[in-house]
């Protein structure tokens, strides 16, 4: 009579190889950080957007963005440093697109409270594409979650 000399049946061998693969994959995933849920979008709303230029006598003009600030998580952008590190602002007109650099404390003024946020940028340093009575597309993103807080067109008002 003929007898097989294999120690383990082919079915049991396949089951053991699949189990070993699953164990190795779970160990690798554990070292790589596992399965983290995506970051929860912050409850922050920017509304009533205003874009205006203030021409100061004898000084360079400033471009200001002002928004009503709302939402349960609005307090995360209530200080100058949090605004500078957490917001990405892009202003575009029909000919150019510029990111507003908020990291320069000498040329950026930030006023934030529980009800509004106002960001002013010295245009002599940053040369933003903003002209009075011109439409400018403004996009504001919240860096930690990547969500867009504001995406709209504002008409720049000029003040003396």
């Amino acid at each position: 009579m003929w007898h097989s000399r294999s120690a383990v049946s082919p079915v049991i061998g396949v089951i053991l190889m699949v189990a070993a693969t699953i164990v190795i994959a779970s160990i690798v995933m554990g070292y790589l950080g596992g399965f983290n849920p995506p970051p929860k979008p912050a409850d922050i709303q920017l509304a009533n957007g205003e874009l205006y230029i203030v021409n100061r006598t004898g000084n360079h003009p400033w471009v200001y963005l002002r928004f009503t600030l709302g939402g349960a998580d609005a307090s995360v952008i209530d200080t100058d440093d949090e605004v500078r590190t957490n917001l990405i602002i892009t202003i575009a007109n029909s000919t150019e697109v510029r990111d507003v650099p908020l990291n320069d404390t000498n040329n950026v003024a930030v006023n934030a409270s529980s009800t509004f946020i106002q960001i002013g940028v010295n245009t002599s340093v940053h040369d933003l594409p903003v002209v009075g009575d011109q439409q400018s597309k403004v996009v504001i993103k919240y860096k930690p979650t990547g969500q867009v807080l504001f995406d709209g067109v504002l008409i720049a008002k000029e003040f003396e």
Side-chain angles (χ1 to χ4, degrees):
M1 210 186 240
W2 182 80
H3 292 287
S4 172
R5 295 186 182 242
S6 62
V8 179
S9 76
V11 173
I12 300 297
V14 168
I15 291 172
L16 288 174
M17 286 184 2
V18 168
T21 303
I22 291 172
V23 168
I24 291 170
S26 64
I27 291 170
V28 169
M29 285 303 296
Y31 280 119
L32 296 178
F35 296 101
N36 293 329
K40 177 187 152 239
D43 181 16
I44 303 170
Q45 291 97 31
L46 298 180
N48 305 323
E50 293 180 308
L51 176 63
Y52 54 97
I53 304 165
V54 176
N55 288 315
R56 299 175 300 146
T57 307
N59 292 311
H60 297 288
W62 281 68
V63 172
Y64 286 94
L65 280 165
R66 184 180 172 106
F67 297 94
T68 303
L69 183 62
D73 297 327
S75 63
V76 299
I77 54 174
D78 66 354
T79 68
D80 292 5
D81 290 336
E82 288 166 346
V83 171
R84 286 188 176 94
T85 58
N86 290 327
L87 294 184
I88 300 171
I89 300 173
T90 304
I91 297 178
N93 62 22
S94 58
T95 59
E96 61 181 312
V97 177
R98 290 274 174 94
D99 287 333
V100 179
L102 297 180
N103 54 1
D104 187 349
T105 58
N106 293 326
N107 298 305
V108 177
V110 177
N111 295 315
S113 73
S114 60
T115 57
F116 77 92
I117 180 169
Q118 177 173 288
I119 301 165
V121 181
N122 185 336
T123 58
S124 67
V125 175
H126 301 294
D127 195 29
L128 295 175
V130 177
V131 180
D133 298 326
Q134 180 186 32
Q135 291 184 351
S136 295
K137 181 172 175 62
V138 177
V139 178
I140 300 179
K141 291 183 182 177
Y142 184 58
K143 238 189 265 189
T145 60
Q147 76 190 79
V148 176
L149 300 180
F150 184 84
D151 185 356
V153 175
L154 301 176
I155 297 175
K157 301 170 190 158
E158 200 160 341
F159 295 98
E160 292 295 327

